[in-house]
Each structure stands twice: as structure tokens, then as C-alpha cells.
Amino acid sequence: MPVYHSSQNEYAGAKVCNTVVLPLKTKCKGPAPPGREDAEDIIDEAIKFFRANVLFRKFESEGPADLTIAYLTVLIAEILRVFAGARAKTKNDGQKIIQEISLKTNFPVPGDKGFPLGGFFTAPAGRQEQETIRQYIKQLREETCLRMLEIAYNANGERNKWWCQFSKRKFMNIASTC
């Protein structure tokens, strides 16, 4: 069974670190152009494919958007690990913890030592490219955290067991430290 790939691999946007800055449906500030509300963006695809992709040990990229899917899959797995922890039993607890993670500014980017997918992304060519990828990843992190908060908790504020059960899985045996 093959890994699920992005439908946005053909998008011609700004190239940074072997990937492309894709449009997002978000109100978070960043370099990504605004996406159409009626269309799926890269975060929607990553969430949709997460439960299947997280089971795979290998991932072969078919384009630049696949690298973003891979990064978001690692990030979603880490978010679910946080939600499954003892400190995040209710949605309010999860919201407090996830806000810390989403607003963190000292996360690794391609080219840094602790970046989880260093073999997929290239190091930034210059200071401008490094700043663009940092802002883009920050924008992706903020929006993904907000969307996962709504998905990982039920309407009554309790954890959604159908999502939190994936907290023990590691995509390609990679564990990031948000």
C-alpha cells in the first residue's frame, strides 16, 4: 500500500529549502498566500492523510508539497502525544499547552541540527531564505495546532479516543520535540 501524497505537488509558489510556500486557509501571519475557503489546503491534506501515513516507515516524496505533508505528519504526531499526556485531559488544558507549542519561536528549521527531516529538506541558501522558511513553518505550526485542538477533543471537552490512540505512533520512526 503506497503512502498518500499531496495533490498540491504541482503548485508553483516560492521555493524554499526544497519545498514550496503553499496557500493556507488561516488568519495567522506569515509568508503563505491566502487559500480558497472552499478548497483543501496542505494542512487539511496532512490531517486527512495522517492516520494512514503515520503507519509507514518509509516516505518517498513525489514533489515539494509532499515534504510539507511529511513535516506536518511529524508535527501532528507530537501534538497528539501532548494531548494524550496527563496534563491535557480536557480541551481547556490542551488549549493552554498547545498555545505554548504553537507560539514557540526557537524551533529547528531545515539546516539546524535538531530538525527532524534534515534528509528531505535542503539547508537555506542565505539569511533571507532561512527567515522565510522559519516564518512559513511557524505559520504552519500555529494553524495546525489550532485545527488539531478542534479535532482531538470532542464537543464536551473530553479527548477524542479515535485520534489520541495515534499518539503512540511515530512517522518514519521520527519523534520531534515540538
Side-chain angles (χ1 to χ4, degrees):
M1 188 165 128
V3 176
Y4 291 93
H5 296 281
S6 177
S7 63
Q8 300 182 28
N9 276 325
E10 303 302 318
Y11 182 77
K15 295 234 182 241
V16 288
C17 300
N18 207 25
T19 189
V20 66
V21 177
L22 298 163
L24 298 175
K25 297 184 294 189
T26 183
K27 293 186 178 25
C28 302
K29 287 176 54 176
R36 292 191 355 240
E37 289 298 320
D38 61 332
E40 232 180 31
D41 69 355
I42 194 71
I43 297 172
D44 292 332
E45 283 187 352
I47 292 170
K48 181 174 80 175
F49 297 149
F50 173 77
R51 291 186 278 187
N53 280 352
V54 78
L55 302 174
F56 291 100
R57 298 279 179 220
K58 293 190 305 186
F59 185 81
E60 292 183 26
S61 173
E62 291 182 353
D66 282 346
L67 298 180
T68 306
I69 291 267
Y71 177 77
L72 289 173
T73 303
V74 172
L75 177 64
I76 290 168
E78 288 304 314
I79 290 169
L80 289 175
R81 273 190 266 299
V82 168
F83 287 157
R87 291 182 26 206
K89 291 203 181 293
T90 65
K91 187 174 183 177
N92 288 337
D93 296 338
Q95 186 172 13
K96 290 174 190 170
I97 295 168
I98 208 66
Q99 190 169 9
E100 286 177 29
I101 293 170
S102 70
L103 298 177
K104 191 190 253 187
T105 57
N106 61 345
F107 53 86
V109 295
D112 290 350
K113 185 178 180 188
F115 188 69
L117 297 167
F120 287 96
F121 291 82
T122 59
R127 185 88 174 128
Q128 178 65 33
E129 188 174 7
Q130 182 180 22
E131 194 55 38
T132 302
I133 193 72
R134 182 170 297 283
Q135 290 174 354
Y136 180 56
I137 289 178
K138 183 174 184 353
Q139 189 177 17
L140 285 171
R141 290 167 61 92
E142 287 178 24
E143 186 62 28
T144 304
C145 286
L146 291 173
R147 292 188 198 179
M148 286 306 298
L149 183 67
E150 298 304 317
I151 291 171
Y153 289 93
N154 295 326
N156 63 1
E158 295 178 359
R159 289 183 224 169
N160 182 338
K161 67 180 181 180
W162 303 112
W163 272 93
C164 287
Q165 71 181 348
F166 286 93
S167 65
K168 295 175 178 70
R169 303 295 292 183
K170 292 180 186 172
F171 177 61
M172 296 190 319
N173 211 19
I174 295 173
S176 173
T177 55
C178 282

